[in-house]
Amino acid sequence: MTTAIILAGGAGTRFGAERPKQMAEILGRPVMAFTLDAFHRATSVREVIVVCHADLIPEVERLVERERFFKVVAVIEGGASRQASSHAGLREAQARGATYVLVHDAARPLVAPEVIDEASARVVEAGVVDVCAKTTDTIVRSHDGVVQDVPDRAQLYNGQTPQGFRLDLALAAHEHALADGIRDATDDIQLALRIGHRAVIVDGGPHNIKITHPSDLEIARLLLEKKLGRSKVVRLTRPFAFDEREVVRPPDLSRVAVRPLLGAICAADLRYYAGARSADALRKKLPMALLHEGVGEIVFSPVPELAPGTRVVIVPNLRRCTDPACPACTNPRIGENYCPQNAFLSSGEDGLMQSLVELDAGNVVAIPEDVPSHVAVMTELLSIATGAIRRIDPPTGDICVVGAGPVGYATQVVASELYEHPVTLCGHRDPVSSADLYFEAAGGTGAESAIREIIAAARPGATIVLLGVSELEVPISTRLVLEKGLRLIGCSRSSPADHRVALALMRRPHVAAKVERLAVSQRFQLSRVREAFDFALARSQWGKVLIDLTA
């Protein structure tokens, strides 16, 4: 295995900005983050050492912590020159028992993991490796502004990084250079060549550019957008079984690209996981990435109001309908989510258990700064209630929510705020109160008894909003419905506007405090997805189970 040394000590004088070029942002992330990504995806790299200016160490350490770059074992102070920084990294690698090293410029964020792995393999064979790309330009040699020679470009390469070495050879090359008074070499290969070592070439390709000037950032951004078609996806392949793999999709630059950060398991996800859907439904919809309730951050956006790095709530609707006069999509009392031509994340379409999701810009909603992510992740859940309330007339009497699970609890919170009126919450085995407006949120096996008791207790002319989803056929006493003149409305989905209302409510501190109670205290990582779903399925704690989708 190989140790990578990332040189991030350059002051970036040619870059001409206050921040070092390796910390300049592309698509909402520092350049160095993409560089570290590549070395974490390279299977041949065991450890990474970052060498940077002393003032930059805290920021780099925060980046490593935030993005969980687990291969980074040390962030150390560099020297006054590239040569000194490289030497410091080599000594750190020696102290950690390394045998082979790759030295790479942090300002080369587009290096391919495959190039890193090939360089690692070749350095074991040859001892010294130089990653280069064949030049496509005609090169001239000049003196005092006068062309002296035009070398044959068939023999010329553009030097890149990483540069690979057997560690003892690299250290010997540096010691000889220092002994000879050389202290400002800009390349480690030239030091190895000085003492007679032979270097073999690995093709780094045309895209392994170095960020040197501000214009290079734009080139890198465009190249990275092309790479956004790659995404790691964790899919449920059959009940109780997940599979992780990389998928490649052509990037659609007319849509926003979102990196999911935090997701919540809902009852629908659990039905798929436990095989509680019909055999036909499982056959049609699996394999599929689960989760549709979540927050993420913008990676790429074609619209200026959604800048890279913006935290957003993901609206899980997928617009497929092309009918400009669609009676569902054009009617705000119904909405696009009820159009049979449209789709829904984690319902036959991959949900949020993937590293990148492309969505229409209208289907993400920016999260206010004063709403933390662990609260905002409940937006989709609350939006079911805001969507239901939007679709019905204002009540004139008592309001009752039946079902004390997360949906019922969230509905009571929302209804109390929007109606500014007390809302009764009836849990399992609680007697259902007489009321004029009901929200049935029991769902599942409790739906039948909840609906039966609501109809029995309802006042004449009452409205019953059905929010709970059940896989069972639920009988309804139509005689009582007709005798009382009751109105039943089904509502289990919402629109972007409903998400905005929910987020606005969560800006109220007392609402945010109530919403926080929805999450169970134990949080899981995506790498422990099976454990997270087993925990949620056991219902050992009331509330929603959250999954960190970046880990």
Side-chain angles (χ1 to χ4, degrees), residues 67 71 83 95 132 145 180 254-255 261 285 379 429 521 527:
E67 302 222 11
K71 289 186 181 181
Q83 180 181 333
C132 304
D180 293 341
S254 68
R255 309 175 83 198
L261 300 176
K285 298 195 175 187
T379 303
R429 295 178 180 171
S521 57
S527 58

Side-chain angles (χ1 to χ4, degrees), residues 344-365:
F344 193 79
L345 294 181
S346 75
S347 181
E349 300 284 341
D350 280 332
L352 303 183
M353 286 168 45
Q354 51 185 320
S355 60
L356 194 75
V357 180
E358 285 189 340
L359 298 162
D360 293 335
N363 279 1
V364 295
V365 180

Side-chain angles (χ1 to χ4, degrees), residues 419-436:
Y419 288 138
E420 298 180 347
H421 187 283
V423 176
T424 302
L425 179 63
C426 295
H428 182 57
R429 295 178 180 171
D430 291 338
V432 175
S433 305
S434 178
D436 303 281

Side-chain angles (χ1 to χ4, degrees), residues 65-68 259-264 291 295 352-353 377 522-529 532 545-551:
E65 175 71 19
R66 183 173 69 248
E67 302 222 11
R68 293 175 174 81
R259 183 166 73 111
L261 300 176
L262 186 64
L291 305 190
V295 300
L352 303 183
M353 286 168 45
V377 73
Q522 185 172 356
R523 188 180 298 186
F524 295 84
Q525 297 178 341
L526 186 56
S527 58
R528 297 167 55 201
V529 63
V545 174
L546 303 186
I547 300 180
D548 181 347
L549 299 173
T550 65

Side-chain angles (χ1 to χ4, degrees), residues 151-458:
D152 180 6
R153 70 180 179 187
Q155 306 300 318
L156 298 178
Y157 289 78
N158 294 322
Q160 300 177 346
T161 61
Q163 296 173 338
F165 303 90
R166 203 175 72 207
L167 181 58
D168 62 320
L169 299 182
L171 286 168
H174 273 263
E175 296 300 335
H176 276 82
L178 290 173
D180 293 341
I182 298 173
R183 285 174 167 74
D184 200 21
T186 59
D187 183 90
D188 291 283
I189 291 293
Q190 63 183 259
L191 300 184
L193 295 177
R194 283 186 73 254
I195 59 173
H197 289 299
R198 166 180 168 269
V200 299
I201 288 175
V202 168
D203 184 7
H207 296 159
N208 185 18
I209 64 171
K210 185 176 181 181
I211 307 296
T212 304
H213 304 285
S215 58
D216 296 330
L217 276 180
E218 180 63 16
I219 295 170
R221 182 182 72 82
L222 293 171
L223 291 172
L224 284 167
E225 285 171 4
K226 296 285 186 182
K227 293 175 70 176
L228 287 181
R230 293 185 180 272
S231 177
K232 283 190 176 179
V233 182
V234 178
R235 288 179 171 140
L236 183 72
T237 55
R238 63 183 187 279
F240 304 102
F242 290 99
D243 173 67
E244 178 180 332
R245 63 183 57 202
E246 186 175 80
V247 299
V248 180
R249 308 183 185 97
D252 183 350
L253 299 186
S254 68
R255 309 175 83 198
V256 296
V258 179
R259 183 166 73 111
L261 300 176
L262 186 64
I265 298 176
C266 80
D269 298 315
L270 289 175
R271 286 194 290 273
Y272 283 114
Y273 177 69
R277 297 294 308 273
S278 69
D280 185 56
L282 293 173
R283 185 169 53 252
K284 287 180 178 178
K285 298 195 175 187
L286 299 186
M288 176 178 69
L290 300 179
L291 305 190
H292 64 269
E293 302 176 11
V295 300
E297 67 177 0
I298 298 292
V299 175
F300 167 77
S301 171
V303 294
E305 57 268 27
L306 291 170
T310 302
R311 285 186 311 136
V312 294
V313 164
I314 296 162
V315 181
N317 311 343
L318 297 175
R319 185 73 178 264
R320 302 281 171 75
C321 180
T322 57
D323 181 3
C326 172
C329 295
T330 58
N331 187 337
R333 293 290 289 260
I334 303 174
E336 64 181 35
N337 220 338
Y338 289 94
C339 172
Q341 302 302 315
N342 293 331
F344 193 79
L345 294 181
S346 75
S347 181
E349 300 284 341
D350 280 332
L352 303 183
M353 286 168 45
Q354 51 185 320
S355 60
L356 194 75
V357 180
E358 285 189 340
L359 298 162
D360 293 335
N363 279 1
V364 295
V365 180
I367 301 171
E369 290 186 5
D370 53 355
V371 179
S373 294
H374 69 276
V375 173
V377 73
M378 303 298 177
T379 303
E380 203 275 341
L381 176 64
L382 268 67
S383 75
I384 301 302
T386 62
I389 289 171
R390 175 177 53 82
R391 296 179 63 201
I392 61 177
D393 297 326
T396 56
D398 296 320
I399 306 168
C400 180
V401 176
V402 179
V407 174
Y409 177 84
T411 301
Q412 184 202 30
V413 171
V414 169
S416 299
E417 292 295 314
L418 293 182
Y419 288 138
E420 298 180 347
H421 187 283
V423 176
T424 302
L425 179 63
C426 295
H428 182 57
R429 295 178 180 171
D430 291 338
V432 175
S433 305
S434 178
D436 303 281
L437 171 61
Y438 292 92
F439 293 93
E440 177 275 317
T445 56
E448 180 177 347
S449 60
I451 294 172
R452 181 176 62 249
E453 291 172 22
I454 289 171
I455 291 174

Side-chain angles (χ1 to χ4, degrees), residues 111-122:
V111 62
E114 296 80 8
V115 170
I116 296 169
D117 286 335
E118 185 178 354
S120 294
R122 296 297 303 278

Side-chain angles (χ1 to χ4, degrees), residues 2 5 26 68 102 105 110 130 172 202 343 368 392 421 435 439 457 511 519:
T2 304
I5 300 170
I26 308 177
R68 293 175 174 81
L102 295 180
D105 295 326
L110 289 157
D130 196 9
V202 168
I392 61 177
H421 187 283
F439 293 93
V511 174

